[in-house]
């Protein structure tokens, strides 16, 4: 039973930075596809960044390219999202998600691709 627990959200001013963390447990496979997705009030959930933990491959939404870095520390079973140059439009509930296999990296930004979810952490940029 995969469990994902996020932390690191908060309130920051525009231009600031945050690093989100997601600790994973209960994996039955050595490698997973993982992603960060966000949902703002009144908007659909959208993918921010995805990664395949078995290889250094990442995928980013156009809206965050150059400002966000997704990474994983396999020894700590922890997924990170470093966010810089934050904008008010980045305000949302951020969730990490995982799934054993998502064949196309585009799928790493699609919430329908993931079977496991964390509870989310709020990011507010003013």
């Amino acid at each position: 039973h995969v469990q994902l627990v996020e932390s690191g959200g908060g309130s920051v001013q525009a231009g600031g930075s945050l690093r989100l963390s997601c600790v994973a447990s209960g994996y039955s496979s050595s490698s997973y596809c993982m992603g960060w997705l966000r949902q703002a009030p009144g908007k659909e959930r959208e993918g921010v960044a995805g990664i395949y933990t078995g290889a250094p491959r990442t995928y980013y939404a156009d809206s965050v390219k150059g400002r966000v870095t997704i990474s994983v520390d396999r020894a700590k079973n922890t997924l990170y999202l470093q966010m810089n140059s934050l904008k008010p439009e980045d305000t949302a509930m951020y969730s990490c998600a995982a799934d054993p296999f998502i064949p196309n990296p585009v799928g790493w930004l699609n919430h329908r691709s993931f079977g496991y979810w964390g509870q989310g952490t709020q990011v507010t940029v003013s």
Side-chain angles (χ1 to χ4, degrees):
H1 179 62
V2 175
Q3 289 188 311
L4 305 170
V5 180
E6 303 97 330
S7 62
S11 297
V12 296
Q13 292 188 337
S17 298
L18 281 174
R19 189 177 79 157
L20 307 183
S21 300
C22 172
V23 178
S25 62
Y27 281 161
S28 61
S29 173
S30 61
S31 299
Y32 266 72
C33 296
M34 300 191 74
W36 286 99
L37 300 95
R38 67 187 181 186
Q39 188 167 23
K43 294 187 177 181
E44 291 188 359
R45 183 175 287 174
E46 63 173 351
V48 176
I51 190 169
Y52 177 58
T53 65
R57 188 171 185 186
T58 58
Y59 198 79
Y60 295 94
D62 289 341
S63 59
V64 301
K65 279 181 182 177
R67 301 190 295 120
V68 163
T69 302
I70 188 171
S71 62
V72 62
D73 185 331
R74 297 188 66 176
K76 296 182 178 180
N77 289 328
T78 302
L79 179 74
Y80 299 101
L81 187 71
Q82 177 68 44
M83 301 189 293
N84 302 321
S85 302
L86 283 162
K87 304 176 181 180
E89 51 264 44
D90 294 318
T91 295
M93 179 70 75
Y94 284 71
S95 299
C96 73
D99 204 84
F101 181 66
I102 302 172
N104 191 323
V106 175
W108 303 347
L109 301 184
N110 187 337
H111 64 91
R112 298 178 182 85
S113 300
F114 295 96
Y116 302 102
W117 289 85
Q119 83 287 353
T121 185
Q122 178 68 35
V123 172
T124 302
V125 185
S126 58

